Amino acid sequence: MIPKKIHYCWFGGKEKPKLVKKCMESWKKFCPDYEIIEWNEANFDINTNPYTRMCYQQKKYAFLTDYIRLVVIERYGGIYFDTDVELIKSPDFLLNAEAYVGFETKDYVNTGIGFSSVAHGKMVKAMLAEYDELLDGQNGVIGCPSLNTQALVKLGLEKNGQLQKLPDVTVYPIDWFNPYDAPTGRLNRTKNTISIHWYSASWMKKRVQIRLRLLRPFHLIKQYIKIRSVEGRTRV
């Protein structure tokens, strides 16, 4: 059984914004008997390998966290959340498994939206193995959805966004952990939804965050035009 521990990362020492504090309050509300552990420079050795050192020195905290979350869960077991993940119900019933993770899109899973494993679990070991070629710090960084998904494909995952029960991990559909579509701002919450990843993009520069918010209305207009176009072809 997965232990009742919630892990999260906060590197760089900045003040936590309101959204992060709100999300963390939701963890306490729905998981009152869980141990909540913050990982930062004080309790994780950023010189663990050249990759972690490079990410930290270059302030690539998102990529640093992508890797560290796997190390921590492999070592101690429990649940990991990015700090912009808000719980809306208890995840207790998910813990009777060796591991779980969720689709972020139809084709990719993402451990940042929330995942869990027993200590030394097969899934998380497989995900860590995908970092082997990056650990010398000389080959740049790769986003976790690509690496996480690649590991699960080797364990039998089909990239279709659907519920799948592999031998050592359950993979849940998009609406369970990722009902919020950041580009359009739409929230597609369902009866299955456990948590919402709000995509604060706190790791991005402020001007990039502002640009993404300003572009959101254009994504909505583009989507509306596409829908109307399909409707028009259907009527003909």
Side-chain angles (χ1 to χ4, degrees), residues 62-110:
F63 295 99
L64 177 66
T65 297
D66 289 349
Y67 176 74
I68 289 177
R69 70 177 66 137
L70 299 177
V71 172
V72 166
I73 294 295
E74 195 284 327
R75 189 176 299 169
Y76 302 105
I79 299 174
Y80 171 85
F81 291 131
D82 271 354
T83 53
D84 54 357
V85 171
E86 180 183 6
L87 274 178
I88 60 172
K89 66 173 69 170
S90 171
D92 281 2
F93 72 99
L94 298 173
L95 303 184
N96 294 314
E98 180 168 325
Y100 74 77
V101 70
F103 277 104
E104 179 182 42
T105 66
K106 183 175 69 68
D107 294 317
Y108 290 98
V109 302
N110 184 347

Side-chain angles (χ1 to χ4, degrees), residues 19 84 104 110 113 178 180-182 197-202 216:
L19 175 61
D84 54 357
E104 179 182 42
N110 184 347
I113 63 178
N178 194 46
Y180 178 64
D181 183 46
H197 186 215
W198 288 111
Y199 289 97
S200 68
S202 59
R216 184 170 295 156

Side-chain angles (χ1 to χ4, degrees), residues 114-170:
F115 85 108
S116 188
S117 174
V118 296
H120 318 304
K122 184 175 180 179
M123 180 199 74
V124 71
K125 282 180 178 293
M127 289 182 172
L128 277 168
E130 296 300 318
Y131 279 86
D132 286 350
E133 295 183 2
L134 299 177
L135 296 185
D136 63 3
Q138 301 299 313
N139 294 295
V141 294
I142 300 175
C144 71
S146 177
L147 294 174
N148 297 161
T149 305
Q150 190 169 294
L152 289 182
V153 167
K154 293 177 181 177
L155 296 178
L157 178 75
E158 293 184 28
K159 296 167 71 172
N160 58 18
Q162 298 178 13
L163 176 68
Q164 296 176 52
K165 293 189 176 181
L166 307 180
D168 301 285
V169 55
T170 300

